Amino acid sequence: MDALKPQRNEPARMEKLAKLPVFWGLEGKRVVLAGGSDGAAWKAELLLACGAELHLYSERSELSESFTALVARNPMLTWHDRSWVPDIFEGAELALADCETDEEAERFYHAARTAGVPVNVIDKPEFCQFQFGSIVNRSPVVVSISTDGAAPILAQAIRRRIETLLPLSLKDWGALAQTIRERVNLRLAAGAARRSFWEKFVDRAFTERLDENSEVRLLADIGTQAARAGSGRGLVTLVGAGPGDAELLTLKAVRALQAADVILFDDLVSVEVLELARREAKRMLVGKRGGRESCRQEDINEMMIRLAKAGKRVVRLKSGDPMIFGRAGEEIAALEAENIPVEIVPGITAASAMASRLGVSLTHRDHAQSVRFVTGHSRQGKLPENIDWKSLSDPSVTTVFYMGGRTAAEIESSLLAHGMPALTPVVIMISVSRSNEQRWCGSLMQLAAAVERLGVNEPVLIGIGNAFGAASSAMSASGLTIQKAG
């Protein structure tokens, strides 16, 4: 079982933050604001929207028109027709100011600090203990974006994108969550059952319209989750991590990673993909690599069964698609024999990533009438004995060999021996879609020599057939036989 121990550096659960994102409750709290400019008026509107009792210190001559209107219509705003003095900070929760000069800003800053009140001087970050982000308001759902003052326009652009993703109805769903939260906590213990309920709640919030029956359906879900929790059984989800690029994950895969208690991941799963997992999830490397020390499949099966019987939500995270050369069949059979629920989340398989990276259609109607995925690595560590080489030797069949680096010489000789033309286009890709991706284009008679030159320390994918002729021509025209992605 030693092979199940982590064998590489895992991503930090939290990378360095420029600032701590904090949401501060201001309902009924005293906040002081010095200055009557339009910029100060906007901050006043934010503070008042949070329920703060706002005290404004500004002489009448300095009060902007927008501020004058705000004072007239808001009873939670008390205007003091004078400049600020040090005694205004007593009992204040926060202090803000719009100061024309750095000298005044420094005086305000130090006065607030001396009084022990957190302070923000508008547009003067050197005199700010906290900052305001760009806000997406679906209260009680609130999203705030900060670039630490480096690029406010970037924060605004991010806000606009998030605005398009979050339906306006999210506000009502958030309010409903507050209504039923206590009942959920009473019926469902903290852990997998409660988290599962809220995950389904979120799915509904983004896909359903809120109506008079929504609360009834949610309460029924609480009962269902409570009954399932009583069984003590967890769940295993086989998730395809894709070829490496985290942006190629499906939304369903991301949701599974965010819901997991334990993640059993292959050695080929990228750090970027793991960074999308729930921070609290336990991560365990169960990698299997050709030519290297690997975990036994029996040990992985036993671990999934043991964790699921303990009530855990287990994600078995596999590189590429779990249903293509991922031993998913063996794992599903082992889990079903123990009556453990299994879900499958497909991923983008390496051959599809190869095609997209090269801009090649694997089934271009002018060049290919079929496509086949073939393993180059059997249980015995060599090519399977039952490969139909005669059918694969037709160049109009697009063939992609997975894990074929160490058997490339045998692939070349077998295809040539069964009549495939020596000049049939071949593409080799190493670490498809990753930062260290490499590409080689040539012909079948050069395959073995090319793999020997490139090495087999990283995942090797071999594409053979007329469909790859366009990729070969494009790279030859640029004078490249080996191309590193960049």
Side-chain angles (χ1 to χ4, degrees):
M1 296 292 288
D2 288 344
L4 296 176
K5 295 179 180 178
Q7 300 173 12
R8 73 180 191 205
N9 292 329
E10 294 184 18
R13 290 189 180 270
M14 182 60 68
E15 298 294 336
K16 179 177 173 59
L17 286 170
K19 292 288 187 299
L20 179 68
V22 174
F23 291 85
W24 206 312
L26 292 177
E27 187 74 33
K29 300 295 180 64
R30 184 174 185 270
V31 177
V32 297
L33 173 59
S37 67
D38 285 334
W42 170 236
K43 293 296 191 289
E45 290 199 53
L46 287 175
L47 296 165
L48 291 167
C50 294
E53 294 182 359
L54 183 61
H55 289 260
L56 169 65
Y57 294 85
S58 174
E59 295 180 0
R60 185 181 300 274
S61 60
E62 298 174 351
L63 211 61
S64 68
E65 289 185 11
S66 57
F67 229 144
T68 301
L70 187 62
V71 169
R73 72 173 184 264
N74 201 305
M76 297 295 289
L77 195 164
T78 302
W79 171 41
H80 304 269
D81 187 6
R82 61 184 174 90
S83 298
W84 71 273
V85 292
D87 64 5
I88 70 170
F89 300 104
E90 184 176 352
E93 188 80 3
L94 296 176
L96 293 88
D98 191 1
C99 301
E100 290 188 5
T101 67
D102 286 350
E103 290 76 13
E104 183 187 2
E106 186 173 9
R107 288 198 305 273
F108 187 91
Y109 174 81
H110 285 300
R113 291 293 306 275
T114 299
V117 180
V119 58
N120 174 289
V121 179
I122 299 169
D123 291 335
K124 294 187 184 297
E126 64 271 29
F127 299 116
C128 293
Q129 285 182 283
F130 64 93
Q131 296 172 345
F132 290 83
S134 189
I135 294 173
V136 178
N137 186 8
R138 301 287 189 274
S139 187
V141 178
V142 179
V143 181
S144 183
I145 305 105
S146 170
T147 61
D148 196 29
I153 292 178
L154 176 60
Q156 293 168 17
I158 295 170
R159 179 186 62 78
R160 288 194 297 271
R161 292 199 175 192
I162 294 176
E163 286 276 11
T164 65
L165 295 173
L166 301 185
L168 293 175
S169 62
L170 207 58
K171 177 177 181 177
D172 297 326
W173 281 98
L176 180 56
Q178 290 180 323
T179 301
I180 66 172
R181 176 168 293 280
E182 185 175 351
R183 278 174 282 184
V184 173
N185 291 345
L186 287 173
R187 294 288 306 279
L188 301 175
R194 189 182 295 177
R195 192 166 60 252
S196 179
F197 169 81
W198 286 117
E199 285 160 5
K200 290 189 174 181
F201 176 95
V202 169
D203 286 341
R204 285 185 168 179
F206 280 93
T207 59
E208 296 182 12
R209 295 187 66 136
L210 197 65
D211 57 39
E212 63 274 10
N213 295 317
S214 295
E215 185 171 347
V216 174
R217 291 194 296 270
L218 288 169
L219 294 178
D221 280 349
I222 296 175
T224 301
Q225 289 299 327
R228 183 175 296 172
S231 71
R233 290 276 168 145
L235 168 73
V236 176
T237 306
L238 307 185
V239 176
D245 184 348
E247 292 188 356
L248 295 178
L249 278 178
T250 65
L251 292 175
K252 195 168 185 177
V254 174
R255 284 201 298 270
L257 289 172
Q258 289 289 320
D261 295 310
V262 182
I263 299 171
L264 307 180
F265 64 97
D266 283 347
D267 191 51
L268 292 178
V269 174
S270 69
V271 170
E272 292 76 18
V273 168
L274 285 173
E275 284 180 344
L276 296 174
R278 191 168 73 95
R279 297 291 176 185
E280 296 81 7
K282 184 175 183 180
R283 307 172 193 183
M284 305 185 73
L285 174 62
V286 293
K288 297 190 291 295
R289 293 284 296 274
R292 303 185 188 182
E293 182 182 356
S294 300
C295 300
R296 295 190 313 138
Q297 185 63 52
E298 294 80 4
D299 291 337
I300 298 173
N301 294 348
E302 186 277 330
M303 179 173 284
M304 288 190 296
I305 292 167
R306 175 168 50 83
L307 290 167
K309 285 185 175 181
K312 304 295 185 183
R313 293 173 65 93
V314 181
V315 163
R316 176 71 176 95
L317 189 60
K318 297 169 172 285
S319 178
D321 185 296
M323 311 304 277
I324 297 181
F325 305 128
R327 301 192 187 180
E330 301 168 49
E331 295 179 354
I332 292 169
L335 293 164
E336 288 182 341
E338 298 290 334
N339 295 317
I340 294 170
V342 185
E343 294 181 354
I344 313 296
V345 179
I348 291 179
T349 191
S352 296
M354 166 191 266
S356 68
R357 296 287 288 168
L358 294 173
V360 167
S361 170
L362 299 180
T363 55
H364 193 298
R365 62 182 180 178
D366 293 337
H367 305 297
Q369 281 65 59
S370 62
V371 60
R372 296 186 184 181
F373 299 159
V374 182
T375 179
H377 185 88
S378 68
R379 289 176 182 266
Q380 292 73 36
K382 57 184 180 180
L383 281 168
E385 295 179 355
N386 58 350
I387 292 179
D388 183 356
W389 291 106
K390 182 63 178 175
S391 64
L392 293 182
S393 64
D394 181 356
S396 68
V397 175
T398 299
T399 304
V400 180
F401 284 91
Y402 287 64
M403 302 169 287
R406 290 180 169 82
T407 55
E410 189 177 349
I411 291 171
E412 176 186 320
S413 61
S414 296
L415 290 173
L416 289 172
H418 286 82
M420 178 170 273
L423 295 180
T424 300
V426 172
V427 171
I428 302 169
M429 292 193 75
I430 296 176
S431 298
V432 179
S433 86
R434 300 174 186 244
S435 59
N436 61 334
E437 177 187 289
Q438 294 185 66
R439 309 172 186 179
W440 177 91
C441 288
S443 60
L444 176 61
M445 64 182 182
Q446 301 168 310
L447 172 59
V451 170
E452 183 177 358
R453 178 181 174 185
L454 291 168
V456 293
N457 291 326
E458 298 297 329
V460 176
L461 202 64
I462 301 170
I464 302 174
N466 291 338
F468 293 104
S472 181
S473 299
M475 291 176 67
S476 298
S478 63
L480 295 173
T481 53
I482 295 178
Q483 174 182 333
K484 291 186 178 181

